Amino acid sequence: MLLTAAILSSLSLTSSFVPQLDSFKRIQAPKAKIAVIDTGVDFTNNPNLIADTENVCEVSSETGLYQCHPSQGLDLLFSTHDLTEHTLQDNELLEYIQSQSLLNQGLLDATEFATKYPPEHVDNLLNAWLSNSHGTIVANIIASENPEAHFLNLRIIPDQSAHEPRIQPDLSITEEERNAKVLTMPNVEQEQELNQLLLAHAVAHVRTYINAALYMKQHGVEVANISAGFSIENFVERIIFDSGYETEAGLVGKCSEFFVNVIEQGMQEVAAIAPEILFVIAAGNDGLSTKHIYPANIEADNFLVVGAVDKEDKLASYSNWGPKVQIAARGNAHEVGRLGLKIDQALDGTSFAAPRVSRVAAKMKDINPRLQAADIKHIIVSLAQKIPDLDGKVSSGGVLNEDICLTAAGFSKVYSIKHAIQEAQKVDANEPPHCSI
């Protein structure tokens, strides 16, 4: 999402936060632990977010994983990446905000300000802030009605090179790129080499999620929010293009199917490794079927894919859809991001629908710690509030029904899952519940 200079006036620093005694008591509370697999969570400037203080990570660099922030999480790396750039951008954005304040007070020359901060440069700073703030905004959505949530931070760092495996790459191919490159159709041998390259990418993606799953198991995670993903067809097209071949539709389609098959098999292993973890996955913002949207195309008992609805409870124009999208939720956000900054303009995306479901899943686990990931998913999907516009677009045909899901979680402490759902439905219909066990 691109931000313009006009939005700058709505950026503001949140008030300082002084931890009270109850904040330290909450750290000791036995609450469900939520992993945020995203761009990172800024705990320092968002002290309302409770980091997993027991997290100690020592992972071999050969796995592609290592600890970035002590006691705060893990970086999911496919290759080396310059982490200092984010800090420099953050510092410059803070300097800009301070300069803008001085300008408004008449303490800074307008010409000097305009020269130092041209609109295009400011837009770049804002877009970098927004991109880096994504995980923090997601975590704040989860914490907004679940202030005792405990977070494990797993940060995705996309690689910038064309031939290294990437989680969330920039896939767009510009006209300038196309015009500057001579492309040919691959022969049989070259097509086999392409498949080997795609296989390497697929294995790297799966290996990263396997390592993440093992890491989350080690630290007792029960809900993992994944507001990330990409179009497999676009990804494959980029790989073919960068390899010097024509991005002919038939070739892209064939290679995409190969990539999908490898990824699906591998991600089933991820699901099997950590059946106790509910993976809540954003459906994506392409306005398309999730058939070739990774990882929203994966179906497993403990994978729950979330689409987005707008303020009228209609499928949002940007939201992906399809039989593997099982529930929908509101896809807007006003929450605080990195550096304790926020904007007044709402952000939209399935990225912000998924954490609403993760929040409810964690609260259900708090109510009944014996609930399994598949049970939580079954309750959420079974108790979806039916919306006509979602029929045929979301498998449950409805949106998240938080109150009734929490009620069912309560009933599940004494009833079977099936019976708990039935009793919750009676409460939803204002019928007297059946009290015998």
Side-chain angles (χ1 to χ4, degrees):
M1 174 182 176
L2 295 178
L3 300 177
T4 64
I7 297 176
L8 293 173
S9 60
S10 64
L11 269 171
S12 60
L13 284 166
T14 57
S15 59
S16 60
F17 176 90
V18 180
Q20 302 298 318
L21 181 60
D22 64 338
S23 298
F24 296 101
K25 288 180 179 177
R26 285 192 286 112
I27 291 177
Q28 304 302 321
K31 295 295 180 180
K33 194 177 296 181
I34 306 162
V36 177
I37 303 177
D38 213 290
T39 60
V41 178
D42 180 6
F43 293 106
T44 303
N45 296 292
N46 289 267
N48 58 302
L49 299 176
I50 304 174
D52 174 24
T53 56
E54 297 178 355
N55 172 21
V56 177
C57 174
E58 295 180 0
V59 182
S60 168
S61 60
E62 294 179 0
T63 66
L65 304 178
Y66 73 98
Q67 183 181 12
C68 179
H69 302 294
S71 301
Q72 289 189 359
L74 182 75
D75 281 358
L76 307 180
L77 283 178
F78 286 134
S79 67
T80 57
H81 186 84
D82 184 8
L83 301 177
T84 62
E85 183 179 354
H86 294 169
T87 302
L88 293 173
Q89 291 168 336
D90 287 348
N91 291 340
E92 191 170 358
L93 181 58
L94 289 175
E95 288 175 6
Y96 166 79
I97 294 170
Q98 292 166 356
S99 297
Q100 188 181 51
S101 177
L102 292 174
L103 178 68
N104 294 338
Q105 298 173 56
L107 301 176
L108 185 65
D109 179 71
T111 302
E112 179 185 347
F113 178 83
T115 301
K116 186 175 182 179
Y117 298 108
E120 182 178 350
H121 179 57
V122 174
D123 281 350
N124 290 337
L125 286 177
L126 280 169
N127 283 304
W129 170 83
L130 179 58
S131 176
N132 297 335
S133 290
H134 193 274
T136 305
I137 293 170
V138 165
N140 271 310
I141 291 173
I142 295 172
S144 62
E145 294 180 22
N146 191 14
E148 297 184 348
H150 285 208
F151 291 97
L152 188 69
N153 176 28
L154 288 86
R155 180 167 61 168
I156 296 172
I157 300 182
D159 176 55
Q160 303 303 311
S161 62
H163 287 285
E164 291 294 326
R166 299 172 283 182
I167 288 183
Q168 215 174 6
D170 178 10
L171 302 170
S172 57
I173 302 173
T174 65
E175 285 301 314
E176 290 78 6
E177 283 183 291
R178 290 189 185 279
N179 295 335
K181 201 163 191 176
V182 177
L183 302 174
T184 61
M185 284 297 292
N187 58 34
V188 174
E189 183 178 342
Q190 290 168 331
E191 192 171 322
Q192 290 175 346
E193 291 174 354
L194 260 181
N195 281 339
Q196 288 301 309
L197 179 58
L198 289 169
L199 178 63
H201 281 277
V203 169
H205 282 284
V206 171
R207 184 185 65 235
T208 297
Y209 275 109
I210 287 175
N211 289 332
L214 292 171
Y215 178 78
M216 290 187 289
K217 282 174 70 75
Q218 179 186 354
H219 294 287
V221 167
E222 285 128 336
V223 179
N225 190 95
I226 305 177
S227 289
F230 58 83
S231 163
I232 289 174
E233 288 185 341
N234 288 350
F235 181 81
V236 168
E237 183 179 37
R238 164 58 78 176
I239 298 300
I240 293 172
F241 178 84
D242 288 343
S243 299
Y245 301 122
E246 288 280 0
T247 54
E248 184 265 333
L251 178 62
V252 172
K254 188 193 308 183
C255 289
S256 294
E257 287 299 324
F258 173 80
F259 188 88
V260 166
N261 289 336
V262 176
I263 282 284
E264 285 185 343
Q265 292 179 40
M267 292 301 284
Q268 290 298 328
E269 184 177 347
V270 173
I273 284 173
E276 71 275 24
I277 299 175
L278 179 63
F279 293 83
V280 181
I281 302 167
N285 305 320
D286 310 277
L288 302 172
S289 165
T290 60
K291 181 180 179 181
H292 283 170
I293 305 296
Y294 169 76
N297 64 324
I298 308 301
E299 189 171 9
D301 289 343
N302 55 333
F303 279 34
L304 179 55
V305 180
V306 183
V309 291
D310 57 25
K311 60 184 179 181
E312 297 177 351
D313 280 341
K314 292 184 177 181
L315 187 73
S317 58
Y318 55 80
S319 178
N320 290 340
W321 46 269
K324 293 182 181 178
V325 181
Q326 293 133 337
I327 194 76
R330 288 291 175 89
N332 62 312
H334 291 277
E335 276 70 19
V336 174
R338 281 178 57 79
L339 309 175
L341 297 173
K342 69 180 296 186
I343 59 173
D344 294 332
Q345 176 175 311
L347 305 173
D348 296 313
T350 58
S351 285
F352 310 125
R356 287 178 163 81
V357 176
S358 292
R359 179 179 66 205
V360 172
K363 291 167 77 172
M364 292 170 66
K365 188 72 175 180
D366 289 343
I367 291 171
N368 182 6
R370 294 196 304 272
L371 280 173
Q372 300 299 306
D375 297 334
I376 294 172
K377 173 184 173 179
H378 182 58
I379 291 171
I380 289 173
V381 172
S382 298
L383 294 176
Q385 181 181 340
K386 304 300 181 184
I387 302 293
D389 188 65
L390 298 182
D391 187 32
K393 302 170 185 174
V394 174
S395 65
S396 68
V399 297
L400 177 68
N401 193 340
E402 177 171 354
D403 291 342
I404 300 305
C405 287
L406 299 182
T407 299
F411 279 124
S412 71
K413 297 172 74 173
V414 292
Y415 297 137
S416 68
I417 299 301
K418 180 179 179 180
H419 195 174
I421 291 171
Q422 292 172 344
E423 294 301 323
Q425 289 170 329
K426 291 179 183 178
V427 172
D428 194 29
N430 295 317
E431 296 179 17
H434 178 63
C435 295
S436 62
I437 297 177

